Amino acid sequence: MEPVVFVAVLAAASMHAGWNALVKVGLDRYSSILLLSLSGAGICLVLLPFFPFPAPAALPWLLTSALIHACYKLTLIKAYEHGDLSQVYPLARGTAPLIVALVGALFLGEVTTLTKVLAILSIGLGVCLMSLKGGVVGRMPPKAFGFALATAACTASYTLIDGIGARLSGSASGFIILLTIADGLFTCAYALATRGPMAFMRLTPAWRSGLTAGGMSLASYWIAVWAFTKAPIALVAALRETSVLFAMLIAILFLKERAGPSRIFAACMIACGVVLMRV
């Protein structure tokens, strides 16, 4: 992985943790996610004329990914309803790079070196370990655990699909812009069907913060999709999950959640993985 890609993905990780924290502290997490989707889609509608349209071969991958992204947001909301940020976020993200690495090696021919495999394992296992103990509610509630695993499955799925789709598209930027618009349409359709027009009327007072979170989310994943075309998907996916370090800092400093020795050890494992990835 080239240095510029490496640094860009780390920057994307910090932004990803940031918008997740905004969702966690929102009074209505469902509305926060809906506003985030609307903001991202609105930004992309403005940018759409300035970027090339993805190749037709990428469109089935794009539409499938948009559906999975919408499911990911719904399971993430449910997980946050039952668990704290510093528990849910690591588990929801940590298992995904391990799945991506396995599928990438078996089906995409992304055979990597032993050092890179150790880096992926160190980051993935460190992220998972961070969710096992501590937090405001102590042991992780079963419902939070289940929804976090469902979120992880969605994460692994859309990561692989987007990596393939972006490579087929001929334009990573065109792919992510159209993907964000489609994701926004699916999310809005679900909101309208389940909560009616009132779901959108509740968003007006918070449009400024929603626009900020939507911009952070879009920029974070835009970088990731671009990186999928420059480096092995598994390496990008693993490095992106260093966002849990930023999430842990946010949880400790601003949300007043606890971090015991196990999470500090997990943070060291993740840091070792990052170092190994640059060896």
Side-chain angles (χ1 to χ4, degrees), residues 240-279:
R240 188 167 176 254
E241 302 316 332
T242 57
S243 57
V244 299
L245 295 177
F246 300 103
M248 185 179 72
L249 290 174
I250 292 170
I252 293 170
L253 297 176
F254 301 105
L255 304 182
K256 306 306 179 184
E257 297 177 5
R258 295 174 293 173
S262 64
R263 287 188 182 173
I264 295 174
F265 176 74
C268 292
M269 287 185 64
I270 296 169
C272 287
V274 173
V275 173
L276 285 173
M277 198 168 289
R278 290 303 305 150
V279 172

PDB file of all heavy atoms in Angstrom, residues 240-279:
ATOM      1  N   ARG A 240      -9.000   0.626   7.661  1.00  0.00           N
ATOM      2  CA  ARG A 240     -10.141   1.502   7.910  1.00  0.00           C
ATOM      3  C   ARG A 240     -10.735   1.276   9.302  1.00  0.00           C
ATOM      4  O   ARG A 240     -11.300   2.186   9.905  1.00  0.00           O
ATOM      5  CB  ARG A 240     -11.196   1.257   6.828  1.00  0.00           C
ATOM      6  CG  ARG A 240     -12.358   2.228   6.829  1.00  0.00           C
ATOM      7  CD  ARG A 240     -13.160   2.101   5.550  1.00  0.00           C
ATOM      8  NE  ARG A 240     -14.325   2.969   5.579  1.00  0.00           N
ATOM      9  CZ  ARG A 240     -15.571   2.535   5.744  1.00  0.00           C
ATOM     10  NH1 ARG A 240     -15.818   1.245   5.856  1.00  0.00           N
ATOM     11  NH2 ARG A 240     -16.579   3.383   5.768  1.00  0.00           N
ATOM     12  N   GLU A 241     -10.595   0.053   9.817  1.00  0.00           N
ATOM     13  CA  GLU A 241     -11.168  -0.254  11.118  1.00  0.00           C
ATOM     14  C   GLU A 241     -10.357   0.299  12.282  1.00  0.00           C
ATOM     15  O   GLU A 241     -10.741   0.141  13.447  1.00  0.00           O
ATOM     16  CB  GLU A 241     -11.359  -1.764  11.283  1.00  0.00           C
ATOM     17  CG  GLU A 241     -12.234  -2.415  10.225  1.00  0.00           C
ATOM     18  CD  GLU A 241     -13.496  -1.625   9.895  1.00  0.00           C
ATOM     19  OE1 GLU A 241     -14.002  -0.899  10.765  1.00  0.00           O
ATOM     20  OE2 GLU A 241     -13.977  -1.715   8.759  1.00  0.00           O
ATOM     21  N   THR A 242      -9.231   0.958  11.985  1.00  0.00           N
ATOM     22  CA  THR A 242      -8.540   1.675  13.052  1.00  0.00           C
ATOM     23  C   THR A 242      -9.392   2.835  13.557  1.00  0.00           C
ATOM     24  O   THR A 242      -9.034   3.491  14.548  1.00  0.00           O
ATOM     25  CB  THR A 242      -7.185   2.226  12.561  1.00  0.00           C
ATOM     26  OG1 THR A 242      -7.396   3.081  11.429  1.00  0.00           O
ATOM     27  CG2 THR A 242      -6.257   1.078  12.162  1.00  0.00           C
ATOM     28  N   SER A 243     -10.511   3.052  12.908  1.00  0.00           N
ATOM     29  CA  SER A 243     -11.452   4.079  13.384  1.00  0.00           C
ATOM     30  C   SER A 243     -11.898   3.803  14.815  1.00  0.00           C
ATOM     31  O   SER A 243     -12.333   4.723  15.520  1.00  0.00           O
ATOM     32  CB  SER A 243     -12.672   4.152  12.464  1.00  0.00           C
ATOM     33  OG  SER A 243     -13.306   2.897  12.377  1.00  0.00           O
ATOM     34  N   VAL A 244     -11.794   2.532  15.281  1.00  0.00           N
ATOM     35  CA  VAL A 244     -12.200   2.230  16.654  1.00  0.00           C
ATOM     36  C   VAL A 244     -11.309   2.945  17.666  1.00  0.00           C
ATOM     37  O   VAL A 244     -11.733   3.237  18.783  1.00  0.00           O
ATOM     38  CB  VAL A 244     -12.202   0.715  16.929  1.00  0.00           C
ATOM     39  CG1 VAL A 244     -13.182   0.001  16.019  1.00  0.00           C
ATOM     40  CG2 VAL A 244     -10.814   0.131  16.790  1.00  0.00           C
ATOM     41  N   LEU A 245     -10.068   3.221  17.296  1.00  0.00           N
ATOM     42  CA  LEU A 245      -9.191   3.970  18.197  1.00  0.00           C
ATOM     43  C   LEU A 245      -9.724   5.389  18.383  1.00  0.00           C
ATOM     44  O   LEU A 245      -9.762   5.914  19.495  1.00  0.00           O
ATOM     45  CB  LEU A 245      -7.766   4.017  17.650  1.00  0.00           C
ATOM     46  CG  LEU A 245      -7.032   2.679  17.548  1.00  0.00           C
ATOM     47  CD1 LEU A 245      -5.660   2.884  16.916  1.00  0.00           C
ATOM     48  CD2 LEU A 245      -6.888   2.041  18.920  1.00  0.00           C
ATOM     49  N   PHE A 246     -10.145   5.999  17.273  1.00  0.00           N
ATOM     50  CA  PHE A 246     -10.727   7.332  17.359  1.00  0.00           C
ATOM     51  C   PHE A 246     -12.066   7.283  18.097  1.00  0.00           C
ATOM     52  O   PHE A 246     -12.386   8.181  18.880  1.00  0.00           O
ATOM     53  CB  PHE A 246     -10.922   7.907  15.958  1.00  0.00           C
ATOM     54  CG  PHE A 246      -9.654   8.031  15.169  1.00  0.00           C
ATOM     55  CD1 PHE A 246      -9.336   7.127  14.168  1.00  0.00           C
ATOM     56  CD2 PHE A 246      -8.748   9.049  15.438  1.00  0.00           C
ATOM     57  CE1 PHE A 246      -8.162   7.232  13.441  1.00  0.00           C
ATOM     58  CE2 PHE A 246      -7.571   9.170  14.717  1.00  0.00           C
ATOM     59  CZ  PHE A 246      -7.273   8.251  13.717  1.00  0.00           C
ATOM     60  N   ALA A 247     -12.849   6.220  17.850  1.00  0.00           N
ATOM     61  CA  ALA A 247     -14.133   6.073  18.536  1.00  0.00           C
ATOM     62  C   ALA A 247     -13.934   5.912  20.039  1.00  0.00           C
ATOM     63  O   ALA A 247     -14.715   6.442  20.841  1.00  0.00           O
ATOM     64  CB  ALA A 247     -14.891   4.869  17.974  1.00  0.00           C
ATOM     65  N   MET A 248     -12.906   5.165  20.442  1.00  0.00           N
ATOM     66  CA  MET A 248     -12.632   4.972  21.861  1.00  0.00           C
ATOM     67  C   MET A 248     -12.277   6.303  22.521  1.00  0.00           C
ATOM     68  O   MET A 248     -12.741   6.608  23.629  1.00  0.00           O
ATOM     69  CB  MET A 248     -11.498   3.966  22.060  1.00  0.00           C
ATOM     70  CG  MET A 248     -11.252   3.622  23.530  1.00  0.00           C
ATOM     71  SD  MET A 248      -9.930   2.417  23.769  1.00  0.00           S
ATOM     72  CE  MET A 248      -8.490   3.428  23.383  1.00  0.00           C
ATOM     73  N   LEU A 249     -11.460   7.103  21.850  1.00  0.00           N
ATOM     74  CA  LEU A 249     -11.101   8.410  22.401  1.00  0.00           C
ATOM     75  C   LEU A 249     -12.327   9.309  22.544  1.00  0.00           C
ATOM     76  O   LEU A 249     -12.494  10.013  23.552  1.00  0.00           O
ATOM     77  CB  LEU A 249     -10.055   9.079  21.506  1.00  0.00           C
ATOM     78  CG  LEU A 249      -8.656   8.452  21.507  1.00  0.00           C
ATOM     79  CD1 LEU A 249      -7.772   9.133  20.475  1.00  0.00           C
ATOM     80  CD2 LEU A 249      -8.030   8.553  22.895  1.00  0.00           C
ATOM     81  N   ILE A 250     -13.192   9.297  21.533  1.00  0.00           N
ATOM     82  CA  ILE A 250     -14.417  10.094  21.601  1.00  0.00           C
ATOM     83  C   ILE A 250     -15.297   9.617  22.752  1.00  0.00           C
ATOM     84  O   ILE A 250     -15.856  10.416  23.518  1.00  0.00           O
ATOM     85  CB  ILE A 250     -15.187  10.012  20.266  1.00  0.00           C
ATOM     86  CG1 ILE A 250     -14.401  10.722  19.156  1.00  0.00           C
ATOM     87  CG2 ILE A 250     -16.575  10.641  20.395  1.00  0.00           C
ATOM     88  CD1 ILE A 250     -14.961  10.497  17.768  1.00  0.00           C
ATOM     89  N   ALA A 251     -15.412   8.288  22.889  1.00  0.00           N
ATOM     90  CA  ALA A 251     -16.256   7.718  23.940  1.00  0.00           C
ATOM     91  C   ALA A 251     -15.748   8.088  25.324  1.00  0.00           C
ATOM     92  O   ALA A 251     -16.521   8.389  26.236  1.00  0.00           O
ATOM     93  CB  ALA A 251     -16.318   6.197  23.783  1.00  0.00           C
ATOM     94  N   ILE A 252     -14.429   8.064  25.500  1.00  0.00           N
ATOM     95  CA  ILE A 252     -13.835   8.356  26.806  1.00  0.00           C
ATOM     96  C   ILE A 252     -13.895   9.851  27.123  1.00  0.00           C
ATOM     97  O   ILE A 252     -14.286  10.267  28.218  1.00  0.00           O
ATOM     98  CB  ILE A 252     -12.378   7.859  26.853  1.00  0.00           C
ATOM     99  CG1 ILE A 252     -12.336   6.329  26.784  1.00  0.00           C
ATOM    100  CG2 ILE A 252     -11.691   8.333  28.131  1.00  0.00           C
ATOM    101  CD1 ILE A 252     -10.947   5.773  26.591  1.00  0.00           C
ATOM    102  N   LEU A 253     -13.512  10.675  26.154  1.00  0.00           N
ATOM    103  CA  LEU A 253     -13.372  12.108  26.405  1.00  0.00           C
ATOM    104  C   LEU A 253     -14.701  12.863  26.417  1.00  0.00           C
ATOM    105  O   LEU A 253     -14.887  13.796  27.200  1.00  0.00           O
ATOM    106  CB  LEU A 253     -12.440  12.728  25.355  1.00  0.00           C
ATOM    107  CG  LEU A 253     -10.991  12.222  25.365  1.00  0.00           C
ATOM    108  CD1 LEU A 253     -10.210  12.851  24.222  1.00  0.00           C
ATOM    109  CD2 LEU A 253     -10.320  12.521  26.701  1.00  0.00           C
ATOM    110  N   PHE A 254     -15.635  12.444  25.553  1.00  0.00           N
ATOM    111  CA  PHE A 254     -16.859  13.219  25.391  1.00  0.00           C
ATOM    112  C   PHE A 254     -18.119  12.514  25.897  1.00  0.00           C
ATOM    113  O   PHE A 254     -19.050  13.168  26.351  1.00  0.00           O
ATOM    114  CB  PHE A 254     -17.048  13.612  23.917  1.00  0.00           C
ATOM    115  CG  PHE A 254     -15.910  14.437  23.382  1.00  0.00           C
ATOM    116  CD1 PHE A 254     -14.966  13.885  22.536  1.00  0.00           C
ATOM    117  CD2 PHE A 254     -15.772  15.768  23.731  1.00  0.00           C
ATOM    118  CE1 PHE A 254     -13.911  14.638  22.035  1.00  0.00           C
ATOM    119  CE2 PHE A 254     -14.726  16.536  23.247  1.00  0.00           C
ATOM    120  CZ  PHE A 254     -13.792  15.969  22.404  1.00  0.00           C
ATOM    121  N   LEU A 255     -18.158  11.173  25.787  1.00  0.00           N
ATOM    122  CA  LEU A 255     -19.343  10.437  26.223  1.00  0.00           C
ATOM    123  C   LEU A 255     -19.185   9.848  27.618  1.00  0.00           C
ATOM    124  O   LEU A 255     -20.096   9.214  28.133  1.00  0.00           O
ATOM    125  CB  LEU A 255     -19.666   9.314  25.218  1.00  0.00           C
ATOM    126  CG  LEU A 255     -19.868   9.758  23.772  1.00  0.00           C
ATOM    127  CD1 LEU A 255     -20.239   8.562  22.904  1.00  0.00           C
ATOM    128  CD2 LEU A 255     -20.921  10.850  23.675  1.00  0.00           C
ATOM    129  N   LYS A 256     -17.992  10.028  28.214  1.00  0.00           N
ATOM    130  CA  LYS A 256     -17.708   9.595  29.586  1.00  0.00           C
ATOM    131  C   LYS A 256     -17.881   8.086  29.781  1.00  0.00           C
ATOM    132  O   LYS A 256     -18.321   7.629  30.833  1.00  0.00           O
ATOM    133  CB  LYS A 256     -18.607  10.350  30.588  1.00  0.00           C
ATOM    134  CG  LYS A 256     -18.540  11.868  30.456  1.00  0.00           C
ATOM    135  CD  LYS A 256     -17.110  12.398  30.549  1.00  0.00           C
ATOM    136  CE  LYS A 256     -17.068  13.908  30.398  1.00  0.00           C
ATOM    137  NZ  LYS A 256     -15.691  14.449  30.395  1.00  0.00           N
ATOM    138  N   GLU A 257     -17.563   7.314  28.737  1.00  0.00           N
ATOM    139  CA  GLU A 257     -17.571   5.863  28.866  1.00  0.00           C
ATOM    140  C   GLU A 257     -16.215   5.389  29.378  1.00  0.00           C
ATOM    141  O   GLU A 257     -15.208   6.071  29.220  1.00  0.00           O
ATOM    142  CB  GLU A 257     -17.915   5.219  27.517  1.00  0.00           C
ATOM    143  CG  GLU A 257     -19.301   5.582  27.020  1.00  0.00           C
ATOM    144  CD  GLU A 257     -19.626   5.011  25.649  1.00  0.00           C
ATOM    145  OE1 GLU A 257     -18.793   4.236  25.118  1.00  0.00           O
ATOM    146  OE2 GLU A 257     -20.695   5.334  25.109  1.00  0.00           O
ATOM    147  N   ARG A 258     -16.196   4.211  30.009  1.00  0.00           N
ATOM    148  CA  ARG A 258     -14.983   3.718  30.639  1.00  0.00           C
ATOM    149  C   ARG A 258     -14.117   2.925  29.673  1.00  0.00           C
ATOM    150  O   ARG A 258     -14.616   2.294  28.747  1.00  0.00           O
ATOM    151  CB  ARG A 258     -15.341   2.833  31.833  1.00  0.00           C
ATOM    152  CG  ARG A 258     -16.043   3.581  32.968  1.00  0.00           C
ATOM    153  CD  ARG A 258     -16.486   2.621  34.045  1.00  0.00           C
ATOM    154  NE  ARG A 258     -17.540   1.728  33.551  1.00  0.00           N
ATOM    155  CZ  ARG A 258     -18.022   0.705  34.236  1.00  0.00           C
ATOM    156  NH1 ARG A 258     -17.540   0.411  35.424  1.00  0.00           N
ATOM    157  NH2 ARG A 258     -18.986  -0.058  33.728  1.00  0.00           N
ATOM    158  N   ALA A 259     -12.828   2.896  29.953  1.00  0.00           N
ATOM    159  CA  ALA A 259     -11.890   2.073  29.174  1.00  0.00           C
ATOM    160  C   ALA A 259     -10.925   1.415  30.144  1.00  0.00           C
ATOM    161  O   ALA A 259     -10.072   2.083  30.730  1.00  0.00           O
ATOM    162  CB  ALA A 259     -11.135   2.926  28.164  1.00  0.00           C
ATOM    163  N   GLY A 260     -11.076   0.098  30.336  1.00  0.00           N
ATOM    164  CA  GLY A 260     -10.220  -0.630  31.259  1.00  0.00           C
ATOM    165  C   GLY A 260      -8.974  -1.168  30.583  1.00  0.00           C
ATOM    166  O   GLY A 260      -8.692  -0.875  29.418  1.00  0.00           O
ATOM    167  N   PRO A 261      -8.215  -1.979  31.318  1.00  0.00           N
ATOM    168  CA  PRO A 261      -6.963  -2.539  30.788  1.00  0.00           C
ATOM    169  C   PRO A 261      -7.151  -3.348  29.506  1.00  0.00           C
ATOM    170  O   PRO A 261      -6.287  -3.329  28.632  1.00  0.00           O
ATOM    171  CB  PRO A 261      -6.464  -3.428  31.934  1.00  0.00           C
ATOM    172  CG  PRO A 261      -7.087  -2.843  33.158  1.00  0.00           C
ATOM    173  CD  PRO A 261      -8.423  -2.335  32.736  1.00  0.00           C
ATOM    174  N   SER A 262      -8.276  -4.077  29.399  1.00  0.00           N
ATOM    175  CA  SER A 262      -8.485  -4.907  28.216  1.00  0.00           C
ATOM    176  C   SER A 262      -8.589  -4.058  26.945  1.00  0.00           C
ATOM    177  O   SER A 262      -8.086  -4.437  25.888  1.00  0.00           O
ATOM    178  CB  SER A 262      -9.743  -5.767  28.374  1.00  0.00           C
ATOM    179  OG  SER A 262     -10.899  -4.958  28.465  1.00  0.00           O
ATOM    180  N   ARG A 263      -9.238  -2.922  27.052  1.00  0.00           N
ATOM    181  CA  ARG A 263      -9.372  -2.060  25.878  1.00  0.00           C
ATOM    182  C   ARG A 263      -8.061  -1.367  25.542  1.00  0.00           C
ATOM    183  O   ARG A 263      -7.770  -1.112  24.372  1.00  0.00           O
ATOM    184  CB  ARG A 263     -10.487  -1.040  26.105  1.00  0.00           C
ATOM    185  CG  ARG A 263     -11.860  -1.673  26.045  1.00  0.00           C
ATOM    186  CD  ARG A 263     -12.967  -0.668  26.065  1.00  0.00           C
ATOM    187  NE  ARG A 263     -14.247  -1.365  26.041  1.00  0.00           N
ATOM    188  CZ  ARG A 263     -15.422  -0.755  26.190  1.00  0.00           C
ATOM    189  NH1 ARG A 263     -15.457   0.539  26.357  1.00  0.00           N
ATOM    190  NH2 ARG A 263     -16.536  -1.448  26.164  1.00  0.00           N
ATOM    191  N   ILE A 264      -7.299  -1.059  26.554  1.00  0.00           N
ATOM    192  CA  ILE A 264      -5.980  -0.478  26.298  1.00  0.00           C
ATOM    193  C   ILE A 264      -5.086  -1.493  25.592  1.00  0.00           C
ATOM    194  O   ILE A 264      -4.370  -1.170  24.639  1.00  0.00           O
ATOM    195  CB  ILE A 264      -5.333  -0.010  27.617  1.00  0.00           C
ATOM    196  CG1 ILE A 264      -6.161   1.134  28.216  1.00  0.00           C
ATOM    197  CG2 ILE A 264      -3.887   0.438  27.386  1.00  0.00           C
ATOM    198  CD1 ILE A 264      -5.703   1.573  29.579  1.00  0.00           C
ATOM    199  N   PHE A 265      -5.151  -2.753  26.024  1.00  0.00           N
ATOM    200  CA  PHE A 265      -4.399  -3.820  25.363  1.00  0.00           C
ATOM    201  C   PHE A 265      -4.871  -3.996  23.926  1.00  0.00           C
ATOM    202  O   PHE A 265      -4.066  -4.177  23.002  1.00  0.00           O
ATOM    203  CB  PHE A 265      -4.556  -5.126  26.136  1.00  0.00           C
ATOM    204  CG  PHE A 265      -3.896  -6.309  25.486  1.00  0.00           C
ATOM    205  CD1 PHE A 265      -2.513  -6.454  25.513  1.00  0.00           C
ATOM    206  CD2 PHE A 265      -4.657  -7.280  24.837  1.00  0.00           C
ATOM    207  CE1 PHE A 265      -1.899  -7.538  24.908  1.00  0.00           C
ATOM    208  CE2 PHE A 265      -4.051  -8.361  24.233  1.00  0.00           C
ATOM    209  CZ  PHE A 265      -2.665  -8.498  24.270  1.00  0.00           C
ATOM    210  N   ALA A 266      -6.201  -3.939  23.733  1.00  0.00           N
ATOM    211  CA  ALA A 266      -6.754  -4.063  22.380  1.00  0.00           C
ATOM    212  C   ALA A 266      -6.277  -2.924  21.488  1.00  0.00           C
ATOM    213  O   ALA A 266      -5.956  -3.133  20.309  1.00  0.00           O
ATOM    214  CB  ALA A 266      -8.283  -4.072  22.448  1.00  0.00           C
ATOM    215  N   ALA A 267      -6.214  -1.730  22.050  1.00  0.00           N
ATOM    216  CA  ALA A 267      -5.732  -0.582  21.278  1.00  0.00           C
ATOM    217  C   ALA A 267      -4.281  -0.790  20.852  1.00  0.00           C
ATOM    218  O   ALA A 267      -3.890  -0.433  19.732  1.00  0.00           O
ATOM    219  CB  ALA A 267      -5.860   0.694  22.107  1.00  0.00           C
ATOM    220  N   CYS A 268      -3.486  -1.397  21.728  1.00  0.00           N
ATOM    221  CA  CYS A 268      -2.091  -1.686  21.383  1.00  0.00           C
ATOM    222  C   CYS A 268      -2.004  -2.714  20.259  1.00  0.00           C
ATOM    223  O   CYS A 268      -1.138  -2.612  19.370  1.00  0.00           O
ATOM    224  CB  CYS A 268      -1.339  -2.188  22.610  1.00  0.00           C
ATOM    225  SG  CYS A 268      -1.114  -0.935  23.893  1.00  0.00           S
ATOM    226  N   MET A 269      -2.892  -3.729  20.274  1.00  0.00           N
ATOM    227  CA  MET A 269      -2.929  -4.717  19.196  1.00  0.00           C
ATOM    228  C   MET A 269      -3.232  -4.044  17.859  1.00  0.00           C
ATOM    229  O   MET A 269      -2.616  -4.352  16.836  1.00  0.00           O
ATOM    230  CB  MET A 269      -3.982  -5.784  19.483  1.00  0.00           C
ATOM    231  CG  MET A 269      -3.616  -6.772  20.567  1.00  0.00           C
ATOM    232  SD  MET A 269      -4.881  -8.075  20.720  1.00  0.00           S
ATOM    233  CE  MET A 269      -4.752  -8.888  19.126  1.00  0.00           C
ATOM    234  N   ILE A 270      -4.195  -3.136  17.863  1.00  0.00           N
ATOM    235  CA  ILE A 270      -4.556  -2.434  16.632  1.00  0.00           C
ATOM    236  C   ILE A 270      -3.383  -1.591  16.143  1.00  0.00           C
ATOM    237  O   ILE A 270      -3.074  -1.571  14.943  1.00  0.00           O
ATOM    238  CB  ILE A 270      -5.798  -1.549  16.874  1.00  0.00           C
ATOM    239  CG1 ILE A 270      -7.000  -2.429  17.223  1.00  0.00           C
ATOM    240  CG2 ILE A 270      -6.104  -0.710  15.638  1.00  0.00           C
ATOM    241  CD1 ILE A 270      -8.199  -1.653  17.731  1.00  0.00           C
ATOM    242  N   ALA A 271      -2.720  -0.907  17.074  1.00  0.00           N
ATOM    243  CA  ALA A 271      -1.571  -0.086  16.701  1.00  0.00           C
ATOM    244  C   ALA A 271      -0.454  -0.942  16.106  1.00  0.00           C
ATOM    245  O   ALA A 271       0.193  -0.551  15.128  1.00  0.00           O
ATOM    246  CB  ALA A 271      -1.057   0.686  17.919  1.00  0.00           C
ATOM    247  N   CYS A 272      -0.245  -2.134  16.684  1.00  0.00           N
ATOM    248  CA  CYS A 272       0.781  -3.056  16.138  1.00  0.00           C
ATOM    249  C   CYS A 272       0.418  -3.470  14.717  1.00  0.00           C
ATOM    250  O   CYS A 272       1.289  -3.592  13.850  1.00  0.00           O
ATOM    251  CB  CYS A 272       0.912  -4.280  17.038  1.00  0.00           C
ATOM    252  SG  CYS A 272       1.739  -3.955  18.598  1.00  0.00           S
ATOM    253  N   GLY A 273      -0.876  -3.711  14.487  1.00  0.00           N
ATOM    254  CA  GLY A 273      -1.325  -4.071  13.142  1.00  0.00           C
ATOM    255  C   GLY A 273      -1.054  -2.981  12.141  1.00  0.00           C
ATOM    256  O   GLY A 273      -0.646  -3.248  10.995  1.00  0.00           O
ATOM    257  N   VAL A 274      -1.257  -1.738  12.549  1.00  0.00           N
ATOM    258  CA  VAL A 274      -0.985  -0.601  11.661  1.00  0.00           C
ATOM    259  C   VAL A 274       0.503  -0.534  11.322  1.00  0.00           C
ATOM    260  O   VAL A 274       0.891  -0.304  10.164  1.00  0.00           O
ATOM    261  CB  VAL A 274      -1.446   0.720  12.335  1.00  0.00           C
ATOM    262  CG1 VAL A 274      -1.015   1.919  11.492  1.00  0.00           C
ATOM    263  CG2 VAL A 274      -2.958   0.723  12.521  1.00  0.00           C
ATOM    264  N   VAL A 275       1.331  -0.762  12.332  1.00  0.00           N
ATOM    265  CA  VAL A 275       2.788  -0.750  12.102  1.00  0.00           C
ATOM    266  C   VAL A 275       3.190  -1.874  11.147  1.00  0.00           C
ATOM    267  O   VAL A 275       3.978  -1.675  10.211  1.00  0.00           O
ATOM    268  CB  VAL A 275       3.551  -0.873  13.435  1.00  0.00           C
ATOM    269  CG1 VAL A 275       5.039  -1.040  13.179  1.00  0.00           C
ATOM    270  CG2 VAL A 275       3.300   0.353  14.302  1.00  0.00           C
ATOM    271  N   LEU A 276       2.636  -3.076  11.373  1.00  0.00           N
ATOM    272  CA  LEU A 276       2.964  -4.213  10.510  1.00  0.00           C
ATOM    273  C   LEU A 276       2.551  -3.956   9.064  1.00  0.00           C
ATOM    274  O   LEU A 276       3.219  -4.405   8.131  1.00  0.00           O
ATOM    275  CB  LEU A 276       2.268  -5.476  11.022  1.00  0.00           C
ATOM    276  CG  LEU A 276       2.860  -6.135  12.270  1.00  0.00           C
ATOM    277  CD1 LEU A 276       1.948  -7.268  12.751  1.00  0.00           C
ATOM    278  CD2 LEU A 276       4.246  -6.683  11.958  1.00  0.00           C
ATOM    279  N   MET A 277       1.470  -3.240   8.883  1.00  0.00           N
ATOM    280  CA  MET A 277       0.989  -2.964   7.530  1.00  0.00           C
ATOM    281  C   MET A 277       1.957  -2.075   6.752  1.00  0.00           C
ATOM    282  O   MET A 277       2.005  -2.101   5.524  1.00  0.00           O
ATOM    283  CB  MET A 277      -0.391  -2.321   7.576  1.00  0.00           C
ATOM    284  CG  MET A 277      -1.148  -2.386   6.272  1.00  0.00           C
ATOM    285  SD  MET A 277      -2.878  -1.939   6.436  1.00  0.00           S
ATOM    286  CE  MET A 277      -3.533  -3.351   7.323  1.00  0.00           C
ATOM    287  N   ARG A 278       2.767  -1.304   7.474  1.00  0.00           N
ATOM    288  CA  ARG A 278       3.736  -0.428   6.813  1.00  0.00           C
ATOM    289  C   ARG A 278       5.121  -1.054   6.707  1.00  0.00           C
ATOM    290  O   ARG A 278       6.035  -0.458   6.151  1.00  0.00           O
ATOM    291  CB  ARG A 278       3.845   0.905   7.583  1.00  0.00           C
ATOM    292  CG  ARG A 278       2.607   1.767   7.466  1.00  0.00           C
ATOM    293  CD  ARG A 278       2.252   2.078   6.030  1.00  0.00           C
ATOM    294  NE  ARG A 278       3.351   2.683   5.303  1.00  0.00           N
ATOM    295  CZ  ARG A 278       3.571   2.547   4.002  1.00  0.00           C
ATOM    296  NH1 ARG A 278       2.778   1.780   3.279  1.00  0.00           N
ATOM    297  NH2 ARG A 278       4.587   3.149   3.427  1.00  0.00           N
ATOM    298  N   VAL A 279       5.311  -2.274   7.284  1.00  0.00           N
ATOM    299  CA  VAL A 279       6.619  -2.942   7.212  1.00  0.00           C
ATOM    300  C   VAL A 279       6.831  -3.463   5.796  1.00  0.00           C
ATOM    301  O   VAL A 279       5.971  -4.173   5.276  1.00  0.00           O
ATOM    302  CB  VAL A 279       6.691  -4.088   8.226  1.00  0.00           C
ATOM    303  CG1 VAL A 279       7.966  -4.893   8.022  1.00  0.00           C
ATOM    304  CG2 VAL A 279       6.644  -3.543   9.635  1.00  0.00           C
TER     305      VAL A 279
END
